[in-house]
Amino acid sequence: MASDMTSPILDALSASDAPIISSETFPSTPSLNIKSAIDRLASRHMVEYETIDKEVVVLTKEGEAVVANGSHEAKVFEAVLAALDGLKIADLPGIVGKENALVGQGNAFKRGWIKKDKDLLRATTDSIVDETQAQLLNIKQTQTVTDKKALTDLKRRKLINVQKVITFKITKGPKYTKEFVKEETDLTTEMLQNGSWKTAHFKPYNFNAKGAPTPSGALHPLNKVRSEFRSIFFEMGFEEMPTNRFVETGFWNFDALYVPQQHPARDLQDTFYISDPPTADLPREDPEHDPHRPKTVHQSSATEKKLDYKEYWDNVRQVHEEGKYGSIGYRYPWSADESLRLVLRTHTTSVSTYMLHKLAANPRPARYFSIDRVFRNEAVDATHLAEFHQIEGVIADFGLTLGGLIGFMEVFFAKMGIHQLRFKPAYNPYTEPSMEIFGYHEGLGKWVEIGNSGMFRPEMLEPMGLPKNMRVYGWGLSLERPTMIKYGVSNIRELLGHKVDLNFIETNPAVRLEKE
Ligand code: PHE
């Protein structure tokens, strides 16, 4: 250890009874190292010490320059004296320099060394005593200033600085020895065999020392909040939908949701389209490799009807193009190519749609949820990213009403500690009626938008083959918003993406939603 200062300190103690040690004694050693070495010796009772705080006055670079070459005012005086017929004020900076002219002129006037005669400066005496220089020279030697006024004056002129110096007065302790004996930290087999344990110095155990942090993984705050939401859903009887498919067709993401092909959400500026491959096959079920096929949802049963994906596709086309099921439709030429284009899913409602269609094989009350990533072609700023996570739930049942949806929301959000809700009529192509949900945030003291919801339209549900009297609630919210509020993160880029600070991830606390 290059910075082990224990032996130099013990040496100093053998040379003198009570050496005074400071950072000046060992100029190339940081004072922290000196202190820790003294502490180490003191903890073994080899030395005792007293700390003395002392203030010393040192010259700044400018102060040193004054000692070497004279003060600003002396320079001004010399220049004025040298100009026998008086010196033009305007010429002064050119001769003595700007800084000297500026500071020195005033001081030379104050001391009565020069006077003003129209625009000329004239000397009033032949010789002066440069007190500032003498004063600084004295300070350089003594490191102190006794005159308070002089101290503030020179400090203000930035010619001196006051520095704290810590000195240690050291004396021998009861266990003083000339050498610092290495302390053993462990009793080894060798020490037992060769008997050296008998004379070895053992270091006492420090039971207060903190252990080294063990490297380990850490859950991202989004994952922590996600798991809280999952438990709320499970607790309310929901099954999780399989969302492991980021790429969807326009069909599952838009058309099946009765989003017309001209809808602005389908524009390039809002949705990411896949260029290679650009399109998919017609919608179908693949029992073996269907990522949407969960283990728990939709176990096949004897009563299960075989789903006809071609018929579903045709129904969707018809309801857009011609109208069906009592709806007049949008009445525009529907393009199959547009529907087969591949997109990065813009919401997880594409998965809900797939699952609701599967429910038509065996229609019965069902509650599904998902929490996963979605993508939107948005300008990235403090609160928006091109990808985020959606929490989504759907409830299918017979005889559901809008009042029931509002009632459900009150129970659902109360589980997150949000007890006051407001609903605002909104528009979604796939729900009617639709409601934006606002919650009163106690912490922020204001109403914040917390979700979007509605009852799925017959134009979306009937093409699937779901019974006419079956109603489906749907709602969605972002996972980022509650996470940012919980963890007090104001910029979303600190939460997700390449700017995330890993230390933040490792040290953030567990989250608990204030449940009822
Ligand atoms: N898909 C909607 C969104 O992205 C959320 C939603 C889901 C709304 C289901 C209504 C029904 O905001």
Side-chain angles (χ1 to χ4, degrees):
M1 220 197 302
S3 58
D4 182 10
M5 294 303 294
T6 45
S7 47
I9 289 164
L10 289 173
D11 287 350
L13 201 49
S14 72
S16 145
D17 271 350
I20 307 264
I21 286 172
S22 75
S23 52
E24 283 158 22
T25 321
F26 306 107
S28 58
T29 310
S31 50
L32 206 67
N33 291 6
I34 298 174
K35 165 110 172 70
S36 80
I38 295 175
D39 278 338
R40 214 146 9 114
L41 292 168
S43 76
R44 289 171 68 173
H45 307 288
M46 293 174 67
V47 305
E48 281 165 358
Y49 74 94
E50 214 181 296
T51 311
I52 307 158
D53 284 351
K54 188 171 86 173
E55 284 196 334
V56 297
V57 183
V58 291
L59 302 193
T60 62
K61 240 189 174 164
E62 230 183 313
E64 292 283 2
V66 168
V67 170
N69 310 316
S71 65
H72 306 100
E73 50 271 28
K75 286 206 184 120
V76 169
F77 171 77
E78 274 153 25
V80 174
L81 188 69
L84 294 171
D85 297 330
L87 182 68
K88 266 206 179 133
I89 296 178
D91 291 343
L92 189 61
I95 301 171
V96 297
K98 239 184 169 166
E99 174 82 18
N100 282 323
L102 210 69
V103 186
Q105 213 182 140
N107 282 322
F109 276 126
K110 234 195 279 170
R111 287 180 160 76
W113 295 346
I114 58 170
K115 63 174 191 222
K116 216 156 134 187
D117 178 6
K118 289 189 196 110
D119 64 339
L120 291 179
L121 295 172
R122 291 188 193 281
T124 56
T125 165
D126 287 345
S127 68
I128 52 143
V129 179
D130 191 350
E131 283 156 25
T132 311
Q133 187 186 36
Q135 211 171 21
L136 288 173
L137 185 64
N138 181 266
I139 292 167
K140 193 179 156 98
Q141 287 153 359
T142 61
Q143 295 199 318
T144 53
V145 183
T146 37
D147 180 354
K148 271 235 164 79
K149 197 184 157 296
L151 181 77
T152 40
D153 221 43
L154 293 171
K155 253 200 335 210
R156 197 174 31 84
R157 284 183 72 177
K158 296 201 166 63
L159 297 174
I160 58 168
N161 267 330
V162 178
Q163 276 176 3
K164 237 197 179 142
V165 176
I166 303 170
T167 28
F168 304 96
K169 189 174 169 203
I170 302 180
T171 48
K172 287 175 186 163
K175 294 204 178 152
Y176 167 79
T177 51
K178 272 183 88 172
E179 299 273 305
F180 185 79
V181 186
K182 187 175 162 263
E183 288 187 311
E184 302 296 342
T185 49
D186 281 311
L187 179 64
T188 62
T189 327
E190 290 75 44
M191 288 162 89
L192 290 171
Q193 282 167 345
N194 63 25
S196 66
W197 62 273
K198 286 181 217 161
T199 50
H201 291 261
F202 288 98
K203 190 179 170 145
Y205 275 108
N206 177 2
F207 294 106
N208 297 318
K210 285 189 180 147
T214 28
S216 69
L219 285 179
H220 191 280
L222 281 174
N223 276 328
K224 295 185 192 174
V225 176
R226 177 172 180 263
S227 83
E228 281 287 295
F229 275 101
R230 285 182 87 222
S231 4
I232 290 176
F233 277 114
F234 286 134
E235 180 181 306
M236 296 183 85
F238 283 77
E239 291 173 77
E240 190 163 23
M241 294 186 272
T243 44
N244 51 346
R245 186 187 273 179
F246 289 176
V247 177
E248 289 281 8
T249 55
F251 180 79
W252 290 113
N253 197 79
F254 297 122
D255 295 285
L257 281 103
Y258 200 50
V259 180
Q261 294 185 332
Q262 307 75 15
H263 195 281
R266 298 180 77 151
D267 283 353
L268 270 176
Q269 318 67 293
D270 290 305
T271 299
F272 291 112
Y273 285 88
I274 306 295
S275 53
D276 187 18
T279 55
D281 296 339
L282 285 170
R284 59 154 192 258
E285 183 183 26
D286 182 345
E288 288 306 313
H289 304 289
D290 186 351
H292 286 327
R293 192 180 176 85
K295 286 189 182 64
T296 55
V297 181
H298 285 299
Q299 296 290 353
S300 58
S301 79
T303 53
E304 210 161 87
K305 185 173 88 192
K306 178 117 187 62
L307 290 171
D308 184 340
Y309 282 75
K310 178 68 176 60
E311 187 189 325
Y312 179 32
W313 163 269
D314 284 337
N315 289 342
V316 168
R317 181 189 58 74
Q318 278 172 43
V319 80
H320 278 246
E321 203 164 64
E322 303 152 19
K324 210 177 173 179
Y325 316 107
S327 166
I328 61 167
Y330 290 124
R331 289 180 283 177
Y332 69 92
W334 187 80
S335 152
D337 290 344
E338 186 62 37
S339 193
L340 294 177
R341 281 176 81 182
L342 288 169
V343 301
L344 285 181
R345 68 174 177 222
T346 61
H347 50 192
T348 44
T349 319
S350 56
V351 184
S352 303
T353 306
Y354 183 90
M355 295 309 297
L356 287 170
H357 176 240
K358 289 194 67 129
L359 187 65
N362 182 14
R364 63 190 188 286
R367 293 180 161 207
Y368 302 146
F369 82 94
S370 66
I371 306 174
D372 209 342
R373 200 172 284 223
V374 300
F375 306 85
R376 290 187 192 170
N377 198 355
E378 299 217 43
V380 171
D381 65 24
T383 52
H384 293 90
L385 286 180
E387 55 192 291
F388 63 101
H389 296 80
Q390 258 186 349
I391 304 170
E392 172 148 333
V394 296
I395 297 179
D397 208 337
F398 300 96
L400 296 179
T401 63
L402 188 68
L405 174 57
I406 292 174
F408 176 83
M409 287 304 157
E410 277 161 359
V411 177
F412 179 76
F413 282 102
K415 286 185 182 288
M416 291 164 221
I418 301 170
H419 298 280
Q420 293 183 68
L421 293 186
R422 278 181 183 169
F423 298 90
K424 183 175 146 190
Y427 173 76
N428 292 313
Y430 38 93
T431 51
E432 185 60 39
S434 312
M435 301 183 299
E436 270 169 12
I437 309 165
F438 288 77
Y440 188 76
H441 191 278
E442 303 285 347
L444 303 177
K446 61 175 184 187
W447 291 93
V448 289
E449 197 197 325
I450 49 179
N452 179 13
S453 67
M455 296 183 71
F456 287 120
R457 293 181 74 110
E459 287 94 332
M460 169 177 165
L461 300 179
E462 291 199 33
M464 297 173 172
L466 284 170
K468 263 193 184 303
N469 58 346
M470 182 164 240
R471 300 279 177 276
V472 184
Y473 299 150
W475 70 97
L477 48 142
S478 88
L479 177 61
E480 279 74 2
R481 162 119 3 143
T483 308
M484 286 168 78
I485 293 174
K486 271 282 155 197
Y487 286 95
V489 174
S490 56
N491 190 330
I492 197 163
R493 285 166 289 195
E494 287 167 24
L495 195 64
L496 202 63
H498 67 287
K499 286 190 179 160
V500 171
D501 176 1
L502 284 183
N503 189 44
F504 164 68
I505 306 293
E506 278 168 10
T507 56
N508 62 47
V511 70
R512 281 277 169 273
L513 302 172
E514 289 90 16
K515 290 175 203 166
E516 273 188 321

Coordinates of all heavy atoms in Angstrom, one line a residue, residues 191 216 256 264 277 353 394 502:
M191 N -1.0 -21.8 10.4 CA -0.7 -21.2 11.7 C -0.8 -22.2 12.9 O 0.0 -22.2 13.8 CB -1.6 -20.0 12.0 CG -1.3 -18.8 11.1 SD -2.7 -17.7 11.1 CE -2.3 -16.7 12.5
S216 N -26.6 -8.7 -7.9 CA -27.8 -9.5 -8.2 C -28.6 -8.7 -9.2 O -28.4 -7.5 -9.5 CB -28.6 -9.7 -7.0 OG -29.1 -8.5 -6.5
A256 N -60.9 -5.7 -37.5 CA -61.8 -6.5 -36.7 C -62.4 -5.7 -35.6 O -63.4 -6.0 -35.0 CB -61.1 -7.7 -36.1
P264 N -57.5 8.1 -39.2 CA -56.2 8.7 -39.1 C -55.2 7.8 -38.2 O -54.0 7.9 -38.5 CB -56.5 10.0 -38.4 CG -58.0 10.0 -38.1 CD -58.6 9.0 -38.9
P277 N -41.5 -9.0 -44.0 CA -42.5 -9.0 -45.1 C -43.6 -8.0 -44.8 O -43.9 -7.7 -43.7 CB -43.0 -10.4 -45.0 CG -43.0 -10.8 -43.6 CD -41.8 -10.1 -43.0
T353 N -59.3 -8.8 -29.1 CA -60.2 -9.1 -30.2 C -60.1 -10.6 -30.6 O -61.0 -11.3 -30.7 CB -59.8 -8.2 -31.4 OG1 -59.9 -6.9 -31.0 CG2 -60.8 -8.4 -32.6
V394 N -61.0 -7.0 -20.4 CA -62.3 -7.1 -21.0 C -63.1 -8.0 -20.2 O -62.7 -9.0 -19.5 CB -62.2 -7.7 -22.5 CG1 -61.4 -6.7 -23.4 CG2 -61.6 -9.0 -22.5
L502 N -29.0 2.5 -14.4 CA -29.1 1.2 -13.8 C -29.2 1.3 -12.3 O -29.8 0.5 -11.6 CB -28.0 0.3 -14.3 CG -28.1 -0.2 -15.7 CD1 -27.0 -1.2 -16.0 CD2 -29.4 -1.0 -15.9

